Amino acid sequence: MARPAAALAVRSASPRFPRRACSSDASSLPRARAQAFNVGDSGFRLLRPSQLGSQLTVEKRSREQQHYFNCPYQLGTRSRDTPADGDAYTASVQAGDLVVLMTDGVSDNLSDAEICEALRSPLASGQEAAALAQTLASLASTASHQLHRETPFGVSARKQGFSFPGGKPDDVTVLCVRVLEAGESAKGESNGASDAVSVKGARVAQGNPGAANPSTMQGGADFMSKL
């Protein structure tokens, strides 16, 4: 398996790579471990349900990479940032976990607590990964246009001496990956709504990217759609 940093380096050299992009890559490793690599202010959350499924907690998360407030690392034309500037992560995963890859249009508008609350019931009810991604993308898109809302971006802005009330309209992209028991079937496998990939001791069901608008463009890194 190629190292994520090397894979990103190949993509960033491709003429089809977006002129400017923040990227988050995740791939499975043997023995049910996950490896992630992140450049910029896109990122991921590894969510784990409690034993009774009544709560979701953040087991692992990426950190935003910024040169200064609201100036994230980027890959593309005129940027001096490279894949070598990214952060690498490794985490253990287990059946029942949910990996969420997202752009800053999600994380700037929804707190980790709001993300967990939004996905808790749908995940517990067994919804497929594509539906989970759609739920979160729609919620983030709605939040981004609300004028009177406390957001993570607004909180960060105040810490830097700026005022930014309400949501922050931005690109919204979500990919959800469910970790399944070995032998468990993912909903939608037969019609292509999700793909299941085997790893030792577990399987992952990859949902299509969440899109709050049916006319979204497909582009950027793998599994990404832009609102």
Side-chain angles (χ1 to χ4, degrees), residues 63-215:
R63 70 174 185 90
E64 292 183 355
Q65 290 185 310
Q66 300 189 72
H67 295 286
Y68 48 86
F69 177 68
N70 205 28
C71 181
Y73 286 28
Q74 294 184 343
L75 301 178
T77 305
R78 293 186 296 276
S79 172
R80 295 183 179 181
D81 302 326
T82 71
D85 297 316
D87 292 330
Y89 303 85
T90 302
S92 298
V93 296
Q94 63 187 43
D97 285 354
L98 179 69
V99 180
V100 184
L101 306 181
M102 66 188 78
T103 57
D104 60 318
V106 180
S107 55
D108 279 345
N109 289 292
L110 300 176
S111 67
D112 284 358
E114 290 172 318
I115 292 171
C116 288
E117 180 59 27
L119 297 176
R120 176 181 58 83
S121 294
L123 181 63
S125 66
Q127 288 192 19
E128 63 186 59
L132 298 173
Q134 182 68 58
T135 294
L136 191 58
S138 297
L139 182 62
S141 180
T142 298
S144 71
H145 296 287
Q146 292 177 337
L147 299 179
H148 304 287
R149 179 185 181 86
E150 181 85 330
T151 66
F153 185 84
V155 172
S156 296
R158 284 199 302 272
K159 291 179 179 178
Q160 300 298 322
F162 301 104
S163 176
F164 197 98
K168 176 177 176 284
D170 206 338
D171 293 343
V172 171
T173 301
V174 180
L175 170 68
C176 287
V177 181
R178 293 173 55 223
V179 182
L180 309 178
E181 292 280 2
E184 181 182 355
S185 294
K187 289 184 179 181
E189 281 185 280
S190 60
N191 61 16
S194 62
D195 298 314
V197 181
S198 297
V199 297
K200 290 186 178 179
R203 300 168 72 244
V204 295
Q206 302 174 337
N208 294 334
N213 186 324
S215 63

